[in-house]
Amino acid sequence: MNYPWEANIRKVEPYTPGEQPTDPSIIKLNTNENPYGPSEDIKKAMKDLSTDLFKKYPDAKATELVNELADYHKVGRDQVFVGVGSDDVLGMCFMTFFNSEKPILFPDITYSFYPVWAELLNIPFKTLALDDSFEICVEDYLQENGGVVIPNPNAPTSILFGKDKIEKILEANKSNIIIIDEAYIDFAEEGSSVINLIDKYDNLVVVRTFSKSRSLAGLRVGYAVSNPVLIKYLNDVKYSYNSYTMNYPSIKLGSAVIKDEEYFRTTIKKIVDTRSWFTDELRKLGFSLPDSSTNFVFPEHKSVPAKEIFEAAKKNKIYFRYFNLPRIDNRLRITIGTDEEMKTVVEFLQDYLKNK
Ligand code: PMP
């Protein structure tokens, strides 16, 4: 139907989030959630929530959460910005920092939300090809640009980008903002984060999320750490758009989760151990895959097409993620679940591939 107002509507090609099935018997390994729930501290904090407080607006500055995060990362309280998941934080960063007429740069194979925000906000962009091993080529990011965004580790490749290479990009781009999206950094080798470089480079913004390593995808909390000047610019844009992004439960529960460091470390270790076992099993089954620094792996089978495996697994109530995109359309992205879940996956694959 042709509506008379059609010409005045902004038309966009939206981001496609992973499927969220409701059947609890499905082994859901398609959206990189953490199979171990949040800590006991969260359950306690939930009980302590006062429904009476819902009548009031929340603290627009989310002070309690900002302070907890600042103390956790040993940075100033004016160096943290919080949002509704890191998607919200990244969207705000694009809006605030990418206002050049020169194109922003990001890898050709990366988080598929980046081109969507760029299109939505009319930000020119250029994608730069990963090499044949899916590694980011640092030299590509030394050309003129209007800003850079790189996930580290990259998704969906699962590969970590060296800190020395990030420093090279920061050095070469003193008049542009460099966003490092560390959604999966807690699953990488210790010391891989660049948060400790924010005082050295005033063009660096590091973005983090509670959705993966903190098991809180459903709560929607993300944050950025940077210098006070850039954090102020981010807040100015946020207050010009929506002041009350962080609701009262997110502030309270988000603040509680940071306190349980022991549980946090234990669940990360479990996932990393399972990842190592699962990677070996996949290789025995004829898959090749990069060593993962995330809570997912990115395998390709030597003879069976990824799409077929994806569909067969789905019929068996095992959900993987499949991207029908150039260069990666023969790969699966498989989230690391519990040991039990991953054993079931291996059994399914052994059985399925036997007849191929
Ligand atoms: N960055 C990357 C690289 C991701 O894969 C995701 C998850 N889809 C996000 C950011 C956003 O996660 P969230 O909004 O749940 O914090």
Side-chain angles (χ1 to χ4, degrees), residues 139-153:
E139 286 72 26
D140 291 350
Y141 293 82
L142 312 181
Q143 62 181 292
E144 242 198 319
N145 65 72
V148 173
V149 57
I150 292 177
N152 193 38

Side-chain angles (χ1 to χ4, degrees), residues 153-336:
N154 195 6
T157 65
S158 79
I159 299 174
L160 187 72
F161 189 47
K163 215 167 165 173
D164 50 331
K165 293 181 182 158
I166 296 178
E167 284 212 63
K168 219 168 160 185
I169 295 173
L170 287 160
E171 285 285 355
N173 286 283
K174 290 274 165 76
S175 46
N176 304 319
I177 303 302
I178 311 299
I179 301 172
I180 304 296
D181 175 358
E182 294 192 336
Y184 300 100
I185 199 76
D186 291 322
F187 303 104
E189 210 179 295
E190 280 232 26
S192 305
S193 170
V194 289
I195 283 197
N196 60 354
L197 297 181
I198 53 165
D199 292 331
K200 186 168 172 194
Y201 298 100
D202 59 19
N203 54 340
L204 171 62
V205 179
V206 181
V207 177
R208 293 277 191 104
T209 179
F210 280 15
S211 300
K212 319 291 178 185
S213 55
R214 302 262 177 199
S215 288
L216 285 177
L219 193 67
R220 311 305 300 130
V221 178
Y223 59 102
V225 185
S226 186
N227 61 72
V229 181
L230 291 182
I231 294 297
K232 164 144 191 338
Y233 282 130
L234 264 178
N235 274 312
D236 288 348
V237 169
K238 169 197 145 149
Y239 290 121
S240 309
Y241 185 69
N242 180 5
S243 323
Y244 299 107
T245 51
M246 306 309 289
N247 60 44
Y248 157 66
S250 300
I251 296 170
K252 285 285 172 197
L253 303 183
S255 304
V257 79
I258 312 164
K259 296 185 181 111
D260 201 346
E261 186 69 12
E262 198 186 322
Y263 180 80
F264 172 61
R265 294 282 155 212
T266 311
T267 49
I268 288 174
K269 183 168 182 326
K270 276 203 228 175
I271 291 166
V272 167
D273 290 347
T274 310
R275 177 181 80 196
S276 161
W277 172 82
F278 186 62
T279 300
D280 290 346
E281 292 300 312
L282 285 178
R283 287 182 178 143
K284 282 187 223 158
L285 284 165
F287 287 92
S288 58
L289 66 159
D291 287 331
S292 167
S293 292
T294 61
N295 66 335
F296 58 88
V297 290
F298 197 47
E300 171 178 50
H301 194 263
K302 62 177 190 298
S303 55
V304 185
K307 193 158 186 281
E308 282 179 27
I309 305 174
F310 168 77
E311 278 160 8
K314 197 164 177 182
K315 281 199 193 110
N316 281 269
K317 292 193 168 194
I318 299 172
Y319 281 35
F320 303 143
R321 188 90 193 250
Y322 172 72
F323 299 97
N324 196 1
L325 293 171
R327 296 181 76 194
I328 59 168
D329 59 356
N330 201 27
R331 289 190 175 256
L332 297 163
R333 194 193 67 188
I334 306 177
T335 306
I336 302 299

